Amino acid sequence: MQSLPTVVDMTPTTPAHPAQPAAHGHHHERPGHGDRPGHGPAPENDTDLAELLDLDAQHAAPVLAAALDAAAAALGHAPREVVDLGAGTGTGTLALAARFSGARVHALDASAGMIERIRASAALSGLSERIETHLVDLDTDWPAAVPHEVDMAWAALSLHHTSDPSRVLRQVFDVLRPGGVVVATEFSGATTYSPADLGTGSSDLGGRVVSALATRGYPVTAEWTEALVAAGFSDVSRHEATVAVSSRTAAGARFLELQLQRNRELLGDELGADDLAGLDAAIAGLGAGASSVDHTSGRVFWVAVRP
């Protein structure tokens, strides 16, 4: 298998792990990792979540670019119809429309608020004529909302939100034309903070936050290699990457501030008073631009072809 251009520790792999649904089911929120809530629409008034999603996408841009490169190579021709499944704030939708200038991109999401954000972003980017939005839940008959014989399907951090991902993958197979390509992305679970005390002097505070999140089932990870094969896809390739965020940039500091705030809200009943106070100090330091924290998280994406 050809290696893709290097993206922060990215190496292609082809493990034979069994397909697994999201850890602890699909009803969880993933506030610690910039993901939208679990199954169902995102909160309509959660502006911090939308900002967190956009900041996460900004830092994961090299992974997005690599996935687009791999998808284009696997397809081998310019797509005409592309579907973005669980489009969220529309980062992938706009990237797909920008990369494939002759394609119509269909953005599907169960949140009316996210759909409105996509429409606004498309208008601002001059892409409204080629981006079509659909307010639809992936657990319903979403294929009825999109054209037959789609060239490319894109599912970024969305499959684990569905009640039956294998069913969704079979539906994707059915809507793709022969030779069509599907791309799916997920978190891989590798998360670190440096310094481990989050700049507070509280030894290994970041490690305890990561451990507490893991106990709650975060990050919600999934493995789709065998599920893609079972759905009928061929030439399935799996690629791992690491996304790095640093508070030395304004965007990185804001991301970490929002991320730790959501972690604190989630873990408020599980961490001791000292750790909660440490988190408060870390959040305040990031907000004031007075804290130096680095964060890494793992990502994985799959590219597969309908024979």
Side-chain angles (χ1 to χ4, degrees):
M1 180 171 58
Q2 283 278 358
S3 295
L4 295 178
T6 301
V7 178
V8 196
D9 297 337
M10 182 168 65
T11 46
T13 60
T14 52
H17 299 307
Q20 299 174 357
H24 296 267
H26 63 285
H27 291 276
H28 285 298
E29 186 182 0
R30 302 177 64 181
H33 296 273
D35 202 5
R36 52 180 287 186
H39 171 60
E44 301 298 338
N45 60 350
D46 197 337
T47 55
D48 281 353
L49 175 60
E51 183 182 3
L52 191 59
L53 285 167
D54 284 340
L55 288 167
D56 178 83
Q58 179 178 333
H59 288 93
V63 182
L64 172 62
L68 287 168
D69 287 344
L75 185 62
H77 62 82
R80 290 174 293 178
E81 301 286 350
V82 178
V83 175
D84 187 359
L85 302 170
T89 60
T91 298
T93 300
L94 268 65
L96 288 160
R99 175 62 181 268
F100 305 115
S101 59
R104 173 168 291 275
V105 181
H106 300 265
L108 280 60
D109 203 274
S111 165
M114 293 298 181
I115 289 293
E116 287 304 315
R117 286 181 65 91
I118 295 169
R119 290 173 178 166
S121 296
L124 189 63
S125 302
L127 296 171
S128 294
E129 291 186 359
R130 293 196 295 109
I131 291 177
E132 186 172 322
T133 57
H134 306 268
L135 182 62
V136 61
D137 194 314
L138 297 183
D139 281 331
T140 64
D141 185 22
W142 64 266
V146 302
H148 294 295
E149 296 200 334
V150 168
D151 297 287
M152 185 179 296
W154 187 270
L157 305 174
S158 59
L159 284 177
H160 66 257
H161 291 296
T162 67
S163 61
D164 189 350
S166 293
R167 172 178 174 269
V168 174
L169 287 175
R170 291 193 299 270
Q171 291 173 314
V172 170
F173 185 91
D174 289 341
V175 302
L176 285 173
R177 66 173 67 246
V181 170
V182 60
V183 179
T185 70
E186 294 286 356
F187 290 94
S188 69
T191 303
T192 66
Y193 289 100
S194 178
D197 67 356
L198 302 179
T200 66
S202 179
S203 179
D204 201 29
L205 174 60
R208 288 193 295 281
V209 169
V210 170
S211 295
L213 288 169
T215 299
R216 293 289 299 270
Y218 303 114
V220 184
T221 60
E223 172 57 54
W224 303 124
T225 303
E226 289 193 6
L228 285 161
V229 173
F233 290 98
S234 63
D235 299 324
V236 178
S237 62
R238 182 182 187 276
H239 309 259
E240 293 186 356
T242 299
V243 176
V245 180
S246 173
S247 67
R248 286 183 289 276
T249 69
R254 179 59 175 164
F255 172 85
L256 290 166
E257 178 189 4
L258 291 173
Q259 186 207 54
L260 289 179
Q261 181 60 53
R262 296 183 79 85
N263 286 344
R264 191 197 189 289
E265 293 168 2
L266 178 68
L267 301 174
D269 294 333
E270 299 179 35
L271 296 176
D274 289 345
D275 282 348
L276 292 175
L279 272 178
D280 287 339
I283 293 164
L286 288 163
S291 181
S292 179
V293 177
D294 293 322
H295 172 265
T296 62
S297 61
R299 303 293 168 92
V300 59
F301 68 86
W302 294 259
V303 179
V305 178
R306 174 178 174 169

